[in-house]
Amino acid sequence: MDSYVIQVNGHGDHAPVLDVHLSTNGNSLSLGKVKGRKPRWAVRASEMSKKTFNPVRAIVDSMKVEPNPKKTMISLSLGDPTVFGNLPTNDEVTQAVKEVLDSGHYNGYAPSVGYKSCREAVAAYYSCPEAPLQAQDVILTSGCSQAIELALAVLANPGQNILVPRPGFSLYKTLALSMGIEVKLYNLLPEKSWEIDLKHLESLVDEKTACLIVNNPSNPCGSVFSKSHLQKILAVASRQCVPILADEIYGDMVFADCKYEPIATLSTNVPILSCGGLAKRWLVPGWRMGWILIHDRRDIFGNEIRDGLLRLSQRILGPCTIVQGALEHILNRTPPEFYHNTLSILKSNADLCYAALSAIPGLQPVQPAGAMYLMVGIEMEHFPEFENDVEFTERLISEQSVFCLPATCFEYPNFFRVVITVPEEMILEACSRIQEFCEMHYQGAEGAQDMECDK
């Protein structure tokens, strides 16, 4: 028979010590002495949570400013096309979800990567001879944000680095830093319609570079890369043997005088994880349906990356099954005029906004070619009373009740971003107020010099 003897020794100022002896079939075994532990509460936030930082929230939350009570607030800050009700989704899209809900066939768990029939629908929709896709090349995710998170998590380890555009979508940095991944920022060039500074990009690559993020069409810039520029980006990635994470959530949301080229259709050897979803093109960001398209015709990713994505997808067991069930209907029955009408509204708003802001001394808007945004440069030397773009946009709120995001949120100071999804009358009113604000604060060369002297 086994016996267990636990002896507690302690005296004076010394902590009690557990002296543990086990006797098994007559053989004595000592586990040594273990200091006693007095239980106490010590609940702390994880290191991952402490490293998770959203620069947009940090900057916006720090803007302690109240709008002008005499003027209705106009928010040009949020990239949600549903806010004002002027851009509803198509009836076919909502009907698809209603039918799936009524069927009762999609109320259970789906495979973590999504139902095969739904992945087949996405593959068929995006497949083309230059970049063929099958169901096995598609991972369904909870929005494009989770697609980006899974793609980063499968490609990069803590201590490695990723190449991220500046200006660029802040989520890339938020996700990477929380995973212990270093972020290296490569420059976009406003004077070249936000093309990548390719020399700067290539200079950042080292042996720890895990992937290159290419966002096209761009948030926050509203830019669309030409075919030739995409080929040059691929040439850099090919020379350096760096895979690409392509954020293409605004894919096909380009204006009539421009053409969108999915980067995978131009790649002969660079492996690409393309992230997309329903949010923007179908105007349903709250439905949280995204996907990763795996383009790997040279088998560089091989089974390892595919298996890694499968394992990572099992952390939350896949996206909403109701929307999954509606995918084939949404992709195949949404009428072309819906997309055309959406883009017509965005193009009209972009043209109105660009023309109005171009006429304002001290501002330098950059003409967008797609997506839902326009970036505006501030000639800070002509607004010497403001320290930076954050202070400029704060005062724009307090004096004119117009809220634009300072581009410091996107690592690009002395610009601000305008969202062009609002109704036309609001765009015109906002531009009128911005003009009034700039005229009030603009200083010519002499005035600005005097202000500097006064400081």
Side-chain angles (χ1 to χ4, degrees), residues 361 381-384 438-439 441-451:
E381 66 273 18
H382 292 298
F383 299 99
C438 289
E439 288 175 350
H441 297 284
Y442 181 86
Q443 297 283 340
E446 291 184 8
Q449 200 169 29
D450 292 342
M451 288 281 289

Side-chain angles (χ1 to χ4, degrees), residues 1 8 13 16 23 25 28 34 39 42 79 105 131 134 137 161 174 226 250 278 348 350 365 384 406 425 429 434:
M1 179 176 169
V8 181
D13 296 328
S23 178
N25 296 327
S28 179
V34 182
H105 294 158
Q134 299 177 10
D137 303 316
N161 64 71
T174 299
S226 67
Y250 295 97
L278 292 182
S348 174
E425 60 274 15
E429 173 63 20
I434 293 170

Side-chain angles (χ1 to χ4, degrees), residues 245-442:
L245 190 169
D247 179 358
E248 299 181 317
I249 187 62
Y250 295 97
D252 292 309
M253 292 188 73
V254 299
F255 303 149
D257 51 355
C258 198
K259 188 175 188 297
Y260 165 66
E261 304 271 2
I263 193 168
T265 63
L266 305 174
S267 175
T268 56
N269 66 323
V270 177
I272 294 165
L273 297 181
S274 172
C275 300
L278 292 182
K280 307 301 171 132
R281 193 176 185 218
W282 286 269
L283 305 176
V284 285
W287 289 12
R288 312 311 301 138
M289 177 53 64
W291 46 74
I292 300 173
L293 308 180
I294 305 168
H295 296 279
D296 186 29
R297 290 189 295 286
R298 293 288 183 91
D299 203 33
I300 294 168
F301 284 151
N303 289 332
E304 184 166 343
I305 295 299
R306 293 173 187 273
D307 291 346
L309 286 170
L310 171 61
R311 287 192 292 271
L312 289 167
S313 74
Q314 292 167 348
R315 292 168 62 175
I316 70 162
L317 301 180
C320 174
T321 54
I322 299 296
V323 185
Q324 284 190 56
L327 263 179
E328 184 174 5
H329 185 145
I330 291 170
L331 295 173
N332 296 324
R333 295 196 210 171
T334 303
E337 56 266 24
F338 165 71
Y339 308 123
H340 176 76
N341 291 341
T342 301
L343 289 173
S344 293
I345 291 169
L346 294 178
K347 176 72 161 68
S348 174
N349 283 352
D351 288 345
L352 287 170
C353 190
Y354 177 78
L357 298 181
S358 294
I360 300 174
L363 297 186
Q364 293 288 340
V366 182
Q367 179 88 56
M372 309 187 318
Y373 312 101
L374 178 147
M375 285 277 276
V376 184
I378 311 166
E379 296 175 346
M380 295 303 300
E381 66 273 18
H382 292 298
F383 299 99
E385 64 188 285
F386 305 127
E387 287 292 325
N388 49 43
D389 55 307
V390 176
E391 193 173 320
F392 181 98
T393 51
E394 279 182 333
R395 290 281 293 277
L396 185 58
I397 295 170
S398 64
E399 294 180 22
Q400 297 292 339
S401 296
V402 174
F403 183 19
C404 301
L405 272 187
T408 292
C409 294
F410 310 108
E411 309 277 357
Y412 210 78
N414 302 335
F415 276 73
F416 62 88
R417 187 191 73 172
V418 174
V419 173
I420 57 173
T421 56
V422 303
E424 180 180 306
E425 60 274 15
M426 292 182 72
I427 281 278
L428 292 172
E429 173 63 20
C431 289
S432 174
R433 294 188 197 178
I434 293 170
Q435 179 175 357
E436 183 180 328
F437 175 81
C438 289
E439 288 175 350
M440 179 82 67
H441 297 284
Y442 181 86

